Protein backbone atom coordinates (compact mmCIF):
# COMPACT_ATOMS: atom_id res chain seq x y z
CA UNK A 1 0.00 0.00 0.00
CA UNK A 2 1.43 3.42 -0.92
CA UNK A 3 2.04 6.14 1.67
CA UNK A 4 0.05 9.24 2.62
CA UNK A 5 1.63 12.45 3.90
CA UNK A 6 -0.63 14.27 6.33
CA UNK A 7 0.14 17.62 7.93
CA UNK A 8 -1.36 18.03 11.40
CA UNK A 9 -2.15 14.31 11.43
CA UNK A 10 -1.53 14.05 15.18
CA UNK A 11 -4.54 16.01 16.41
CA UNK A 12 -8.22 16.75 15.81
CA UNK A 13 -9.53 16.01 12.32
CA UNK A 14 -6.06 14.96 11.13
CA UNK A 15 -5.71 12.38 13.91
CA UNK A 16 -9.08 10.85 13.05
CA UNK A 17 -7.97 10.76 9.39
CA UNK A 18 -4.66 9.09 10.33
CA UNK A 19 -6.51 6.40 12.31
CA UNK A 20 -8.85 5.76 9.38
CA UNK A 21 -5.98 5.61 6.90
CA UNK A 22 -4.17 3.06 9.09
CA UNK A 23 -7.40 1.03 9.26
CA UNK A 24 -7.47 1.12 5.44
CA UNK A 25 -3.89 -0.20 5.35
CA UNK A 26 -2.14 2.99 4.23
CA UNK A 27 1.37 3.86 5.38
CA UNK A 28 1.37 7.26 7.09
CA UNK A 29 3.87 10.11 7.27
CA UNK A 30 2.87 12.51 10.06
CA UNK A 31 4.24 16.01 9.45
CA UNK A 32 4.15 18.70 12.11
CA UNK A 33 5.97 20.93 14.55
CA UNK A 34 5.24 18.88 17.70
CA UNK A 35 7.76 15.98 17.72
CA UNK A 36 6.62 14.68 21.12
CA UNK A 37 2.94 14.66 20.25
CA UNK A 38 3.66 13.11 16.83
CA UNK A 39 5.79 10.44 18.53
CA UNK A 40 2.94 9.54 20.89
CA UNK A 41 0.45 9.35 18.03
CA UNK A 42 2.91 7.36 15.88
CA UNK A 43 3.17 4.80 18.72
CA UNK A 44 -0.61 4.62 18.98
CA UNK A 45 -1.00 4.13 15.22
CA UNK A 46 1.72 1.45 15.21
CA UNK A 47 -0.13 -0.37 18.01
CA UNK A 48 -3.07 -0.46 15.58
CA UNK A 49 -0.84 -2.16 13.01
CA UNK A 50 0.12 0.99 11.10
CA UNK A 51 3.44 1.74 9.43
CA UNK A 52 4.19 5.33 10.50
CA UNK A 53 7.03 7.85 10.03
CA UNK A 54 7.29 11.41 11.30
CA UNK A 55 8.60 14.54 9.62
CA UNK A 56 9.49 17.83 11.34
CA UNK A 57 7.54 20.63 9.65
CA UNK A 58 6.61 24.14 10.74
CA UNK A 59 4.11 25.31 8.14
CA UNK A 60 4.72 28.97 9.00
CA UNK A 61 8.39 28.79 8.01
CA UNK A 62 9.42 28.54 4.36
CA UNK A 63 12.83 27.08 5.24
CA UNK A 64 11.16 24.41 7.39
CA UNK A 65 8.81 23.50 4.51
CA UNK A 66 11.80 23.22 2.16
CA UNK A 67 13.71 21.04 4.65
CA UNK A 68 10.69 18.77 5.19
CA UNK A 69 10.12 18.38 1.44
CA UNK A 70 13.81 17.52 0.93
CA UNK A 71 13.66 14.95 3.72
CA UNK A 72 10.52 13.36 2.29
CA UNK A 73 12.19 13.13 -1.14
CA UNK A 74 15.18 11.33 0.45
CA UNK A 75 12.85 8.92 2.28
CA UNK A 76 11.12 8.13 -1.01
CA UNK A 77 14.41 7.79 -2.93
CA UNK A 78 15.91 5.49 -0.27
CA UNK A 79 12.72 3.42 -0.12
CA UNK A 80 12.29 4.14 3.61
CA UNK A 81 8.64 4.84 2.83
CA UNK A 82 6.34 3.47 0.13
CA UNK A 83 5.57 5.56 -3.00
CA UNK A 84 3.51 8.65 -2.23
CA UNK A 85 -0.19 8.28 -2.98
CA UNK A 86 -1.63 11.40 -1.35
CA UNK A 87 -0.71 14.68 0.30
CA UNK A 88 -3.23 15.95 2.86
CA UNK A 89 -2.75 19.68 3.46
CA UNK A 90 -4.64 19.64 6.72
CA UNK A 91 -2.56 21.64 9.25
CA UNK A 92 -3.74 25.14 9.94
CA UNK A 93 -5.70 27.23 12.33
CA UNK A 94 -7.00 30.59 13.38
CA UNK A 95 -4.55 32.81 15.14
CA UNK A 96 -6.38 35.01 17.61
CA UNK A 97 -4.95 37.97 19.46
CA UNK A 98 -2.76 40.67 18.00
CA UNK A 99 -1.64 40.20 14.42
CA UNK A 100 1.72 38.42 14.24
CA UNK A 101 4.19 37.58 11.50
CA UNK A 102 6.05 34.44 10.41
CA UNK A 103 9.86 34.08 10.43
CA UNK A 104 9.68 35.22 6.77
CA UNK A 105 7.75 38.36 7.74
CA UNK A 106 4.31 37.28 6.48
CA UNK A 107 1.10 37.45 8.53
CA UNK A 108 0.92 34.18 10.51
CA UNK A 109 -2.50 32.94 9.31
CA UNK A 110 -1.70 33.50 5.65
CA UNK A 111 1.84 32.12 6.07
CA UNK A 112 0.64 28.95 7.85
CA UNK A 113 -2.66 28.15 6.15
CA UNK A 114 -1.72 29.31 2.66
CA UNK A 115 1.95 29.80 1.83
CA UNK A 116 3.18 26.74 3.78
CA UNK A 117 0.72 24.43 2.04
CA UNK A 118 1.30 26.12 -1.32
CA UNK A 119 5.08 25.62 -1.16
CA UNK A 120 4.75 22.05 0.11
CA UNK A 121 2.54 21.19 -2.87
CA UNK A 122 4.80 22.92 -5.41
CA UNK A 123 7.80 20.97 -4.08
CA UNK A 124 6.12 17.58 -3.73
CA UNK A 125 3.71 17.26 -6.67
CA UNK A 126 6.40 15.50 -8.78
CA UNK A 127 6.79 12.87 -6.04
CA UNK A 128 3.20 11.65 -6.28
CA UNK A 129 2.35 8.39 -8.03
CA UNK A 130 0.09 8.47 -11.10
CA UNK A 131 -3.50 9.24 -10.05
CA UNK A 132 -2.19 10.50 -6.70
CA UNK A 133 -4.30 13.02 -4.82
CA UNK A 134 -3.84 16.29 -2.97
CA UNK A 135 -6.57 17.24 -0.53
CA UNK A 136 -6.74 20.72 1.00
CA UNK A 137 -8.64 21.14 4.27
CA UNK A 138 -10.57 24.37 3.75
CA UNK A 139 -13.57 25.65 5.73
CA UNK A 140 -17.17 26.67 5.09
CA UNK A 141 -16.30 30.02 6.65
CA UNK A 142 -14.74 30.98 3.30
CA UNK A 143 -18.22 31.57 1.80
CA UNK A 144 -19.89 34.80 2.97
CA UNK A 145 -23.19 33.71 1.36
CA UNK A 146 -23.62 30.83 3.84
CA UNK A 147 -24.44 30.82 7.58
CA UNK A 148 -20.85 29.60 8.24
CA UNK A 149 -19.39 32.60 6.42
CA UNK A 150 -21.86 35.11 7.87
CA UNK A 151 -21.21 33.78 11.40
CA UNK A 152 -17.49 34.50 11.11
CA UNK A 153 -17.97 37.90 9.49
CA UNK A 154 -17.02 37.58 5.83
CA UNK A 155 -13.81 37.59 3.85
CA UNK A 156 -11.36 40.11 2.39
CA UNK A 157 -10.08 40.20 -1.20
CA UNK A 158 -8.02 37.01 -1.82
CA UNK A 159 -4.91 38.96 -2.76
CA UNK A 160 -1.72 37.25 -1.56
CA UNK A 161 0.45 40.36 -1.39
CA UNK A 162 -2.08 42.32 0.68
CA UNK A 163 -2.93 39.40 2.97
CA UNK A 164 0.72 38.60 3.67
CA UNK A 165 1.33 42.23 4.68
CA UNK A 166 -1.87 43.05 6.58
CA UNK A 167 -1.23 45.58 9.34
CA UNK A 168 2.37 46.17 8.26
CA UNK A 169 1.93 49.63 6.82
CA UNK A 170 0.51 50.97 10.09
CA UNK A 171 -3.08 50.49 8.92
CA UNK A 172 -5.59 48.46 10.94
CA UNK A 173 -4.96 44.75 10.29
CA UNK A 174 -7.79 42.41 9.30
CA UNK A 175 -9.51 40.75 12.28
CA UNK A 176 -8.43 37.20 13.25
CA UNK A 177 -11.76 35.86 11.95
CA UNK A 178 -11.38 37.56 8.59
CA UNK A 179 -7.73 36.50 8.31
CA UNK A 180 -8.85 32.92 8.89
CA UNK A 181 -11.87 32.91 6.56
CA UNK A 182 -9.90 34.61 3.78
CA UNK A 183 -7.04 32.12 4.16
CA UNK A 184 -9.59 29.36 3.59
CA UNK A 185 -11.02 31.14 0.53
CA UNK A 186 -7.45 31.19 -0.83
CA UNK A 187 -7.15 27.49 0.04
CA UNK A 188 -10.18 26.62 -2.10
CA UNK A 189 -8.79 28.80 -4.91
CA UNK A 190 -5.40 27.02 -4.70
CA UNK A 191 -7.19 23.66 -5.00
CA UNK A 192 -9.11 24.78 -8.11
CA UNK A 193 -6.10 26.50 -9.72
CA UNK A 194 -3.97 23.42 -9.05
CA UNK A 195 -6.63 21.27 -10.71
CA UNK A 196 -6.64 23.55 -13.79
CA UNK A 197 -2.83 23.47 -14.06
CA UNK A 198 -2.73 19.68 -13.68
CA UNK A 199 -5.44 19.18 -16.30
CA UNK A 200 -3.66 21.54 -18.74
CA UNK A 201 -0.47 19.51 -18.47
CA UNK A 202 -2.26 16.18 -18.90
CA UNK A 203 -1.44 15.00 -15.37
CA UNK A 204 -3.53 12.27 -13.70
CA UNK A 205 -3.09 13.81 -10.23
CA UNK A 206 -6.21 15.09 -8.47
CA UNK A 207 -6.63 18.27 -6.45
CA UNK A 208 -9.59 18.33 -4.04
CA UNK A 209 -10.94 20.92 -1.57
CA UNK A 210 -12.60 19.77 1.67
CA UNK A 211 -14.73 21.51 4.27
CA UNK A 212 -14.72 19.38 7.44
CA UNK A 213 -17.62 21.36 8.96
CA UNK A 214 -17.64 23.08 12.35
CA UNK A 215 -16.13 20.86 15.07
CA UNK A 216 -15.66 22.84 18.30
CA UNK A 217 -14.14 19.87 20.19
CA UNK A 218 -10.73 19.88 18.45
CA UNK A 219 -7.86 22.16 19.50
CA UNK A 220 -8.97 24.56 16.74
CA UNK A 221 -10.17 27.28 19.15
CA UNK A 222 -7.06 27.08 21.36
CA UNK A 223 -6.28 30.77 20.81
CA UNK A 224 -9.62 31.76 22.36
CA UNK A 225 -10.14 32.35 26.10
CA UNK A 226 -10.84 29.05 27.93
CA UNK A 227 -14.49 29.91 28.78
CA UNK A 228 -15.18 30.56 25.07
CA UNK A 229 -13.69 27.15 24.17
CA UNK A 230 -15.81 25.39 26.81
CA UNK A 231 -18.95 27.23 25.72
CA UNK A 232 -18.32 26.49 22.02
CA UNK A 233 -18.00 22.76 22.71
CA UNK A 234 -21.13 22.62 24.93
CA UNK A 235 -24.29 20.83 23.78
CA UNK A 236 -26.54 23.96 23.94
CA UNK A 237 -24.08 25.90 21.77
CA UNK A 238 -23.86 23.07 19.23
CA UNK A 239 -27.68 22.94 19.18
CA UNK A 240 -27.83 26.69 18.63
CA UNK A 241 -25.26 26.61 15.84
CA UNK A 242 -27.19 23.85 14.11
CA UNK A 243 -30.37 25.95 14.38
CA UNK A 244 -28.46 28.84 12.80
CA UNK A 245 -27.64 26.64 9.82
CA UNK A 246 -23.95 26.15 10.62
CA UNK A 247 -22.39 23.07 8.98
CA UNK A 248 -21.88 20.79 11.98
CA UNK A 249 -19.73 17.67 12.06
CA UNK A 250 -17.53 15.55 14.34
CA UNK A 251 -13.77 14.98 14.24
CA UNK A 252 -14.33 11.24 13.68
CA UNK A 253 -16.66 11.68 10.71
CA UNK A 254 -14.67 14.49 9.11
CA UNK A 255 -11.38 12.66 9.66
CA UNK A 256 -12.81 9.53 8.05
CA UNK A 257 -14.11 11.70 5.18
CA UNK A 258 -10.66 13.21 4.67
CA UNK A 259 -9.16 9.70 4.56
CA UNK A 260 -11.74 8.63 1.97
CA UNK A 261 -11.06 11.63 -0.22
CA UNK A 262 -7.37 10.69 -0.05
CA UNK A 263 -7.55 7.05 -1.07
CA UNK A 264 -11.05 5.74 -1.75
CA UNK A 265 -11.70 4.73 -5.40
CA UNK A 266 -15.19 6.32 -5.06
CA UNK A 267 -13.47 9.72 -5.27
CA UNK A 268 -11.33 8.97 -8.32
CA UNK A 269 -13.08 11.75 -10.31
CA UNK A 270 -13.13 14.30 -7.49
CA UNK A 271 -10.49 16.66 -8.86
CA UNK A 272 -11.54 20.31 -8.98
CA UNK A 273 -14.46 19.75 -6.61
CA UNK A 274 -15.29 20.99 -3.12
CA UNK A 275 -16.59 18.42 -0.63
CA UNK A 276 -18.38 19.12 2.61
CA UNK A 277 -18.80 16.88 5.67
CA UNK A 278 -22.12 17.67 7.32
CA UNK A 279 -23.90 15.66 9.99
CA UNK A 280 -22.64 12.31 8.79
CA UNK A 281 -22.79 12.93 5.03
CA UNK A 282 -19.95 13.77 2.65
CA UNK A 283 -21.08 15.46 -0.56
CA UNK A 284 -19.72 17.68 -3.32
CA UNK A 285 -21.25 21.15 -2.91
CA UNK A 286 -20.64 24.54 -4.56
CA UNK A 287 -18.07 26.80 -2.91
CA UNK A 288 -18.15 30.61 -2.70
CA UNK A 289 -18.86 32.52 -5.93
CA UNK A 290 -15.50 34.27 -5.69
CA UNK A 291 -13.64 30.95 -5.42
CA UNK A 292 -14.46 30.24 -9.10
CA UNK A 293 -12.76 33.44 -10.31
CA UNK A 294 -9.99 32.06 -12.52
CA UNK A 295 -8.16 35.37 -13.00
CA UNK A 296 -7.94 36.02 -9.27
CA UNK A 297 -6.82 32.41 -8.68
CA UNK A 298 -4.07 32.62 -11.32
CA UNK A 299 -2.82 35.86 -9.72
CA UNK A 300 -2.99 34.30 -6.25
CA UNK A 301 -0.85 31.41 -7.53
CA UNK A 302 1.76 33.62 -9.20
CA UNK A 303 1.94 36.05 -6.26
CA UNK A 304 2.31 33.09 -3.88
CA UNK A 305 5.20 31.83 -6.01
CA UNK A 306 6.86 35.21 -5.59
CA UNK A 307 6.25 35.29 -1.83
CA UNK A 308 7.77 31.82 -1.30
CA UNK A 309 10.67 32.77 -3.64
CA UNK A 310 10.11 29.69 -5.78
CA UNK A 311 13.17 29.14 -7.96
CA UNK A 312 13.01 27.82 -11.53
CA UNK A 313 14.59 24.54 -10.37
CA UNK A 314 11.90 24.16 -7.71
CA UNK A 315 9.00 24.77 -10.11
CA UNK A 316 7.16 21.51 -10.81
CA UNK A 317 7.08 21.07 -14.63
CA UNK A 318 3.41 19.93 -14.46
CA UNK A 319 2.47 23.25 -12.82
CA UNK A 320 4.11 25.67 -15.27
N1 LIG B 1 -12.44 22.44 13.96
C1 LIG B 1 -13.18 23.15 13.12
O1 LIG B 1 -14.28 23.62 13.45
C2 LIG B 1 -12.71 23.38 11.70
C3 LIG B 1 -13.64 23.84 10.76
C4 LIG B 1 -13.23 24.05 9.44
C5 LIG B 1 -11.91 23.82 9.09
N2 LIG B 1 -11.02 23.37 10.02
C6 LIG B 1 -9.64 23.14 9.58
O2 LIG B 1 -9.30 21.79 9.85
C7 LIG B 1 -7.88 21.67 9.96
C8 LIG B 1 -7.57 20.85 11.20
O3 LIG B 1 -8.02 21.56 12.34
P1 LIG B 1 -8.57 20.85 13.66
O4 LIG B 1 -9.96 21.33 13.88
O5 LIG B 1 -8.28 19.40 13.61
O6 LIG B 1 -7.72 21.59 14.78
P2 LIG B 1 -6.36 21.12 15.53
O7 LIG B 1 -6.62 19.91 16.35
O8 LIG B 1 -5.88 22.36 16.21
O9 LIG B 1 -5.39 20.73 14.33
C9 LIG B 1 -4.66 21.69 13.65
C10 LIG B 1 -3.34 21.06 13.29
O10 LIG B 1 -2.58 22.02 12.55
C11 LIG B 1 -1.27 22.02 13.09
N3 LIG B 1 -0.58 23.28 12.88
C12 LIG B 1 -0.99 24.53 13.18
N4 LIG B 1 -0.02 25.43 12.90
C13 LIG B 1 1.03 24.71 12.41
C14 LIG B 1 2.33 25.04 11.95
N5 LIG B 1 2.78 26.30 11.94
N6 LIG B 1 3.13 24.04 11.51
C15 LIG B 1 2.72 22.76 11.51
N7 LIG B 1 1.51 22.38 11.97
C16 LIG B 1 0.68 23.35 12.40
C17 LIG B 1 -1.45 21.76 14.56
O11 LIG B 1 -0.21 21.34 15.11
P3 LIG B 1 0.24 21.72 16.62
O12 LIG B 1 -0.30 20.62 17.46
O13 LIG B 1 1.73 21.73 16.56
O14 LIG B 1 -0.32 23.05 16.93
C18 LIG B 1 -2.52 20.69 14.53
O15 LIG B 1 -1.96 19.43 14.35
C19 LIG B 1 -7.34 23.09 9.99
O16 LIG B 1 -6.84 23.43 8.71
C20 LIG B 1 -8.57 23.92 10.31
O17 LIG B 1 -8.47 25.24 9.82
C21 LIG B 1 -11.39 23.14 11.32
Amino acid sequence: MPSVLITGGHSGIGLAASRELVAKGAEIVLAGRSPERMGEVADELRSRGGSVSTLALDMSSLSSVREAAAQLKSMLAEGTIAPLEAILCNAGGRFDGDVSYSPDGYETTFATNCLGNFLLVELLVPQLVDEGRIVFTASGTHDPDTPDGRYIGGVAEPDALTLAATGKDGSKPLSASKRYATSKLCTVMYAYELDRRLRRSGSSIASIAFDPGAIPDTAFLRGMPRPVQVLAASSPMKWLQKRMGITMSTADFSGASLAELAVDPRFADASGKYFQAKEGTLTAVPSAKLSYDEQRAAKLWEDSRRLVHLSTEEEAPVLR
Side-chain angles (χ1 to χ4, degrees):
M1 187 86 174
S3 61
V4 174
L5 171 68
I6 175 164
T7 66
H10 62 276
S11 67
I13 299 160
L15 174 55
S18 298
R19 287 179 178 143
E20 183 68 20
L21 285 163
V22 163
K24 287 177 182 296
E27 186 176 330
I28 308 278
V29 182
L30 298 171
R33 61 182 173 171
S34 319
E36 273 182 25
R37 189 78 187 97
M38 285 198 296
E40 285 165 20
V41 168
D43 288 343
E44 184 218 298
L45 296 173
R46 285 182 196 119
S47 74
R48 293 169 179 248
S51 182
V52 186
S53 315
T54 60
L55 192 61
L57 168 64
D58 178 350
M59 299 293 299
S60 70
S61 155
L62 298 176
S63 62
S64 173
V65 174
R66 283 188 164 87
E67 279 164 30
Q71 202 189 328
L72 190 91
K73 283 182 201 171
S74 304
M75 289 158 86
L76 286 165
E78 290 159 6
T80 325
I81 55 169
L84 190 63
E85 181 175 22
I87 302 171
L88 306 187
C89 297
N90 169 73
R94 45 175 293 158
F95 299 90
D96 290 285
D98 290 343
V99 67
S100 62
Y101 299 93
S102 70
D104 306 286
Y106 303 138
E107 190 282 313
T108 302
T109 321
F110 189 70
T112 307
N113 297 0
C114 296
L115 294 177
N117 285 312
F118 173 84
L119 179 59
L120 193 69
V121 167
E122 277 273 7
L123 299 176
L124 292 180
V125 160
Q127 305 299 318
L128 281 164
V129 296
D130 285 349
E131 298 182 8
R133 298 183 198 168
I134 299 166
V135 187
F136 293 87
T137 303
S139 162
T141 58
H142 86 277
D143 186 351
D145 293 331
T146 62
D148 304 81
R150 279 193 290 275
Y151 187 58
I152 203 162
V155 290
E157 176 66 26
D159 180 87
L161 305 179
T162 313
L163 293 169
T166 184
K168 278 212 144 177
D169 56 1
S171 63
K172 195 167 173 253
L174 294 170
S175 68
S177 293
K178 220 166 235 186
R179 298 196 295 267
Y180 176 72
T182 311
S183 77
K184 294 301 184 177
L185 170 61
C186 294
T187 300
V188 178
M189 294 174 86
Y190 281 148
Y192 291 167
E193 177 65 13
L194 178 60
D195 170 66
R196 285 188 286 272
R197 285 175 186 245
L198 290 166
R199 300 291 74 78
R200 275 204 297 271
S201 63
S203 167
S204 61
I205 290 166
S207 168
I208 303 166
F210 170 56
D211 167 24
I215 309 164
D217 330 75
T218 66
F220 176 65
L221 296 177
R222 72 182 92 172
M224 296 266 192
R226 188 73 195 134
V228 176
Q229 294 181 43
V230 173
L231 181 67
S234 68
S235 300
M237 196 58 178
K238 285 182 186 168
W239 177 85
L240 186 64
Q241 285 187 313
K242 194 175 161 185
R243 282 291 300 265
M244 290 165 65
I246 302 293
T247 305
M248 301 302 289
S249 190
T250 62
D252 281 348
F253 180 73
S254 294
S257 300
L258 179 57
E260 292 199 353
L261 289 171
V263 297
D264 197 300
R266 280 191 301 135
F267 296 100
D269 66 347
S271 197
K273 294 183 187 164
Y274 173 74
F275 287 82
Q276 185 176 70
K278 182 175 184 180
E279 295 169 38
T281 321
L282 177 65
T283 38
V285 295
S287 53
K289 278 190 213 96
L290 199 55
S291 67
Y292 296 104
D293 187 316
E294 296 189 16
Q295 274 186 342
R296 279 187 170 92
K299 181 175 182 317
L300 176 69
W301 194 277
E302 292 307 328
D303 286 345
S304 297
R305 276 186 166 169
R306 257 170 245 128
L307 289 169
V308 302
H309 311 296
L310 197 77
S311 67
T312 318
E313 298 77 54
E314 287 176 327
E315 242 178 57
V318 285
L319 302 183
R320 283 200 180 119

